[in-house]
Structure formats: C-alpha cells, structure tokens
Amino acid sequence: MTIQSVDVLYTAVATAENGRDGRVASDDGNLDVVVNPPKELGGSGAGTNPEQLFAAGYSACFQSALGVVARQAKADISGSRVTAKVGLGKTEAGGFGLTVELAVSIPNVDREAAQQLVEQAHQVCPYSHATRGNIAVELTVV
C-alpha cells in the first residue's frame, strides 16, 4: 500500500496527558475532555475514551462524505444518520486492534440506492481512506 500525497488544507492539533486515563485537549480550546478507560477494560468509565472520539469523528466525516455523493446523485438524504461502532480487542498477534461498523440510515432513499450511496461515500471519506486495509470496516444500511 502506498501513502497518498495530500495537499493539507487544515491540521487538527490535540495533546494527550496520561494516555487513556488523563486528558485530551485541542490547541484551540474547542476540545478539552477527560479520558478514562471504559468499565469493560477495568477503568472508571467516568470520561470519554479514544474509541468514542474515533467513532464520533468517523461518523461525522462519513456523514459529510455521504452528503457529497448524494449531491452528485441528486439524492435526498435529509434525516439520514450515521452511527459508528468502534470495537477494541486483542489481535491474533497479541496486540490490540480496532473494528468499525458504520450503520447508515437514509429514510428518503430506497434500500438499493442507499447501499450504493454508502459504498460511494466509503470511497470518498478520509477516515475510510485511512482505515482501508488496516481495520475491518462493516457497512450496514439500516
């Protein structure tokens, strides 16, 4: 797999303190959250966690990509929703890895057209580009 060349238009900057049991903040102050491991991993679950932040970013990005392809197809995606489920687990190699399920609801489009839009959005979304070949991503039209 080759690394794509990108003409950078924006750079997000965030700094973490104390890893999964600390704080993450963006340089502009728009994001400043406590992070804690979830209860399922032995943590307090009192704050957010990296997987929730990744799910939030991926779902928002995918929704935007869906908008791009829908405009091109002249499809009405009003009322659509993208829910990202990010799983964290052990890999066969002994480390940790992620899985992603994107559940997409497009109420004003028939199921076949919705599936096509979702597949096209998956080709456009920067998060999908970043995960392709690295993380199992399941696309579901709901």
Side-chain angles (χ1 to χ4, degrees):
M1 177 179 208
T2 61
I3 297 175
Q4 73 181 23
S5 175
V6 176
D7 181 16
V8 177
L9 301 174
Y10 168 74
T11 300
V13 178
T15 301
E17 298 172 1
N18 296 325
R20 288 180 166 274
D21 205 2
R23 177 178 163 258
V24 177
S26 61
D27 65 334
D28 62 6
N30 287 327
L31 176 74
D32 191 343
V33 296
V34 171
V35 290
N36 297 116
K39 290 180 180 181
E40 296 85 349
L41 297 178
S44 70
T48 189
N49 59 66
E51 292 71 37
Q52 287 176 332
L53 295 170
F54 187 73
Y58 203 160
S59 62
C61 187
F62 198 89
Q63 179 76 38
S64 292
L66 185 62
V68 168
V69 300
R71 280 189 295 281
Q72 292 170 346
K74 296 183 179 20
D76 178 9
I77 64 160
S78 59
S80 64
R81 296 173 61 120
V82 176
T83 300
K85 297 178 182 178
V86 174
L88 173 69
K90 293 186 177 183
T91 66
E92 292 176 1
F96 289 90
L98 300 174
T99 62
V100 174
E101 178 187 344
L102 298 176
V104 184
S105 170
I106 311 174
N108 299 322
V109 176
D110 69 62
R111 189 169 192 81
E112 185 177 323
Q115 187 66 46
Q116 289 176 353
L117 290 171
V118 167
E119 293 291 339
Q120 291 169 353
H122 193 46
Q123 297 307 309
V124 171
C125 176
Y127 275 65
S128 293
H129 285 295
T131 59
R132 191 167 289 115
N134 299 309
I135 297 173
V137 177
E138 179 182 342
L139 304 172
T140 305
V141 175
V142 294

